């Protein structure tokens, strides 16, 4: 299966290279009339700059990796070249109807379906690369926006939503290769920059309300169908087949439409956006079933519970270490994992550690804030935080700050060991509803032992001079 896929992929890439050599790589069957006149248009020049600035980075990283990643990158850049040609054609073409729009966008559809075929195939070690490219290409469908009643998000929002779906897989590439191969990390980062800020910035500057058609230009008509026998009415055109599938077509009810191929299939039926692949509900953080934050207190039910109530089933969520939306590192449900590492982080990102037990996390860089929530016997080693380090609802945790931390807060926690560096000795430590909190600070010399300081958990409140005075309880003896 994989061998046949590679052979067909190589054949497709060879066709693209042949088209490029003949000057037709962007056309894919589109007429070339007027291309020279349109090439100096500011929006076309800006699109060329977009490709030179951002697409070239994707290509450069793919060249270092080679193989199937290079092949899918060539197809991705081919889709951008086709879109440039379509933008030039739009300036000379009247706004078509739905059937005409489907025919007009057919060259772009063909390239995108090729990438979708790679993403739907199994057995490749680069499946996350393929899916990142396939999902991201749905952003190019902004060109199909025809108005507020067409059912699509506006072009800028559509580009952003499309990338959110792609980022789900792009982050998997970052996590998988961050310690294995920097070239793959470079490719994933370049792919994101191609869309954000690349394509989004281009659309915002030139087509925030969608493409502008030429009212006095040429008309686009739907593809002519073959003459039916015996004067029978013409049957509807079947949807275009995928380049790489050898399986017979299945009924639409048993094979849901996927990716950009569904977009262009639905265009011919009059529904512009029924097939667009955006962020699915299960990819949104607020709807993730493994992030409900609900911890069952048991499986007991009182006799007053209605008979129609479904018994609560305690589920064990899968472990997770991922960057969400480029801003939040989620580390969840790890048990007995002593080798958790976050090294590719910056001061705008936060780290949220939830439900981990008997594990150790290292954060090798400055982040905005760190939160430990509902963790047991968890260790955290971090360098610098901009805002605060927080411990909430935890038991028996340890944390060591190697840099600076302006604020440390401990809330509803039983047992915490805080190791401070010399740069973090001025941190403001706040505790509430917590017991057994110890702070260890460096000794006077580098050879001296750590000095341990237990934080008080009992206080005396004495009414004096019209107000209460509070002081910690001091105990005598050991």
């Amino acid at each position: 299966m994989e061998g046949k896929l590679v052979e067909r992929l190589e054949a497709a890439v060879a066709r693209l290279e042949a088209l490029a050599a003949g000057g037709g790589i962007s056309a894919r069957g589109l007429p070339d009339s007027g291309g020279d006149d349109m090439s100096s248009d500011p929006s076309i020049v800006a699109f060329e700059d977009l490709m030179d600035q951002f697409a070239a980075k994707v290509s450069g990283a793919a060249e270092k990796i080679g193989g199937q990643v290079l092949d899918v990158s060539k197809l991705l850049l081919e889709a951008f070249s086709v879109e440039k040609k379509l933008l030039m054609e739009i300036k000379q073409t009247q706004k078509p109807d739905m059937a005409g729009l489907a025919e007009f966008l057919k060259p772009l559809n063909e390239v995108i379906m090729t990438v979708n075929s790679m993403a739907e195939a199994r057995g490749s070690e680069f499946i996350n690369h393929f899916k990142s490219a396939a999902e991201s290409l749905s952003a190019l469908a902004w060109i199909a926006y025809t108005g507020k009643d067409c059912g699509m998000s506006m072009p800028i929002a559509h580009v952003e939503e499309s990338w959110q779906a792609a980022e789900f897989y792009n982050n998997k590439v970052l996590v998988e290769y961050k310690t294995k191969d920097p070239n793959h990390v470079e490719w994933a980062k370049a792919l994101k920059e191609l869309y954000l800020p690349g394509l989004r910035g281009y659309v915002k500057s030139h087509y925030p309300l969608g493409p502008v058609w030429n009212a006095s230009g040429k008309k686009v008509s739907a593809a002519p169908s073959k003459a039916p026998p015996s004067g029978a009415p013409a049957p509807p055109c079947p949807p275009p087949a995928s380049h790489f599938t050898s399986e017979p077509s299945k009924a639409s009810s048993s094979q849901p439409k996927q990716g950009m191929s569904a977009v262009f299939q639905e265009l011919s039926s009059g529904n512009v956006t029924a097939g667009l692949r955006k962020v699915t509900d299960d990819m949104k953080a607020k709807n993730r079933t493994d992030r409900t934050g609900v911890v069952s207190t048991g499986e007991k039910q009182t006799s007053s519970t209605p008979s129609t109530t479904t018994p609560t089933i305690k589920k064990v969520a899968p472990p997770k270490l991922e960057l969400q939306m480029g801003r939040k590192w989620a580390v969840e449900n790890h048990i007995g994992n002593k080798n958790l590492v976050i090294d590719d982080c910056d001061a705008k990102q936060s780290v949220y550690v939830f439900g981990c037990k008997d594990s150790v996390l290292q954060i090798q860089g400055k982040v905005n804030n760190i939160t430990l929530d509902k963790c047991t016997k968890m260790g955290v080693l971090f360098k610098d935080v901009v805002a605060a380090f927080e411990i909430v609802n935890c038991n028996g945790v340890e944390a060591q700050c190697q840099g600076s931390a302006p604020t440390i807060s401990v809330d509803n926690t039983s047992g915490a060991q805080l190791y401070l560096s010399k740069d973090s000795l001025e941190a403001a430590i706040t505790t509430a509803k917590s017991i057994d909190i110890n702070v260890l600070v460096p000794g006077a010399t580098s050879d001296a032992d750590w000095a341990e300081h237990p934080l008080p958990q009992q206080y005396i409140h004495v009414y004096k001079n019209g107000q209460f005075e509070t002081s910690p309880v001091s105990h005598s003896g050991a």
Side-chain angles (χ1 to χ4, degrees):
M1 176 66 182
E2 184 178 359
K4 293 182 179 179
L5 173 61
V6 173
E7 291 178 3
R8 293 173 180 172
L9 178 59
E10 291 175 347
V13 173
R15 290 200 304 272
L16 294 178
E17 293 174 344
L19 286 171
I25 188 170
S26 300
R28 281 294 185 101
L30 289 174
D32 291 330
S33 59
D36 295 337
D37 296 336
M38 292 296 103
S39 60
S40 59
D41 185 274
S43 64
I44 302 302
V45 173
F47 197 88
E48 292 175 345
D49 293 340
L50 163 69
M51 297 187 67
D52 291 341
Q53 181 179 357
F54 296 104
K57 293 182 179 179
V58 178
S59 178
E63 290 283 352
K64 297 177 183 177
I65 300 171
Q68 293 179 325
V69 176
L70 177 59
D71 293 339
V72 76
S73 299
K74 287 182 178 179
L75 291 170
L76 183 139
L77 301 184
E78 165 64 4
F80 273 79
S81 297
V82 173
E83 176 131 315
K84 172 192 166 185
K85 182 64 178 180
L86 293 177
L87 288 171
M88 297 170 66
E89 288 293 318
I90 284 175
K91 295 182 177 297
Q92 306 173 75
T93 306
Q94 295 183 23
K95 184 177 180 179
D97 56 16
M98 289 298 102
L101 184 59
E103 179 65 21
F104 181 81
L105 298 176
K106 185 177 179 181
L108 183 59
N109 179 31
E110 292 179 355
V111 185
I112 294 175
M113 282 198 306
T114 304
V115 180
N116 283 342
S117 298
M118 298 176 66
E120 293 165 6
R122 298 187 180 185
S124 174
E125 62 179 312
F126 305 117
I127 188 64
N128 288 323
H129 297 71
F130 298 163
K131 288 187 176 182
S132 297
E135 293 286 356
S136 69
L137 284 177
S138 64
L140 297 182
W142 70 266
I143 201 173
Y145 182 81
T146 57
K148 62 181 181 179
D149 297 327
C150 73
M152 281 182 68
S153 299
M154 294 191 68
I156 299 174
H158 175 75
V159 172
E160 293 174 343
E161 292 166 1
S162 299
W163 174 251
Q164 288 175 10
E167 192 169 34
F168 180 79
Y169 300 102
N170 203 56
N171 285 340
K172 291 187 176 183
V173 177
L174 289 172
V175 172
E176 180 181 357
Y177 288 95
K178 65 181 180 180
T179 58
K180 292 168 56 178
D181 190 338
N183 293 328
H184 290 266
V185 175
E186 179 185 351
W187 182 89
K189 290 181 177 179
L191 182 65
K192 180 176 181 178
E193 292 177 358
L194 177 60
Y195 294 96
L196 305 180
L199 182 61
R200 178 183 61 184
Y202 171 80
V203 174
K204 182 178 181 180
S205 299
H206 297 278
Y207 297 103
L209 302 179
V212 181
W213 301 83
N214 189 340
S216 59
K218 59 189 177 183
K219 294 182 178 181
V220 176
S221 57
S225 58
K226 296 181 179 180
S230 304
C237 296
S242 172
H243 283 182
F244 291 143
T245 180
S246 59
E247 300 177 3
S249 299
K250 298 181 181 178
S252 60
S253 61
S254 62
Q255 184 176 358
K257 295 171 182 174
Q258 299 182 358
M260 284 301 300
S261 59
V263 176
F264 295 94
Q265 292 174 24
E266 290 298 318
L267 283 173
S268 61
S269 64
N271 190 343
V272 177
T273 60
L276 289 180
R277 261 182 115 175
K278 300 181 181 178
V279 181
T280 57
D281 287 340
D282 61 321
M283 292 180 186
K284 296 179 180 178
K286 65 179 182 179
N287 295 329
R288 295 284 289 274
T289 58
D290 57 346
R291 298 188 69 248
T292 60
V294 177
V295 179
S296 174
T297 58
E299 299 181 0
K300 297 181 179 179
Q301 289 186 322
T302 62
S303 58
S304 61
T305 304
S307 59
T308 56
T309 303
T310 303
T312 302
I313 300 176
K314 190 173 182 179
K315 298 173 64 177
V316 178
K320 177 194 305 181
L321 195 164
E322 64 183 18
L323 179 62
Q324 299 176 343
M325 302 298 295
R327 290 298 182 94
K328 176 182 176 181
W329 283 96
V331 185
E332 301 178 6
N333 308 310
H334 287 273
I335 298 177
N337 191 341
K338 309 290 187 179
N339 299 309
L340 298 170
V341 179
I342 296 176
D343 56 4
D344 187 15
C345 52
D346 59 51
K348 295 181 180 180
Q349 296 173 347
S350 62
V351 179
Y352 180 71
V353 186
F354 175 81
C356 294
K357 182 178 180 180
D358 194 25
S359 299
V360 177
L361 170 66
Q362 297 183 50
I363 304 172
Q364 301 175 350
K366 178 183 288 188
V367 293
N368 185 269
N369 70 284
I370 304 170
T371 301
L372 268 66
D373 188 3
K374 295 183 179 178
C375 295
T376 302
K377 296 182 179 180
M378 180 71 186
V380 177
L381 179 67
F382 65 96
K383 290 188 176 180
D384 301 286
V385 292
V386 177
F389 176 80
E390 301 172 294
I391 302 175
V392 185
N393 306 321
C394 293
N395 292 288
V397 297
E398 296 185 5
Q400 180 174 354
C401 177
Q402 296 179 315
S404 61
T407 302
I408 299 175
S409 65
V410 184
D411 186 14
N412 195 29
T413 292
S414 175
Q417 296 275 97
L418 305 176
Y419 295 82
L420 302 183
S421 66
K422 291 184 178 181
D423 294 333
S424 59
L425 291 179
E426 297 181 358
I429 303 177
T430 303
T431 62
K433 297 187 294 183
S434 300
I435 60 175
D436 298 334
I437 310 301
N438 296 317
V439 180
L440 293 94
V441 300
T445 64
S446 58
D447 297 331
D449 294 333
W450 289 78
E452 184 174 0
H453 300 272
L455 299 185
Q457 61 192 48
Q458 291 180 314
Y459 299 88
I460 297 176
H461 310 282
V462 180
Y463 186 76
K464 290 183 179 180
N465 302 323
Q467 63 182 1
F468 278 96
E469 295 182 359
T470 303
S471 60
V473 175
S474 59
H475 297 278
S476 60

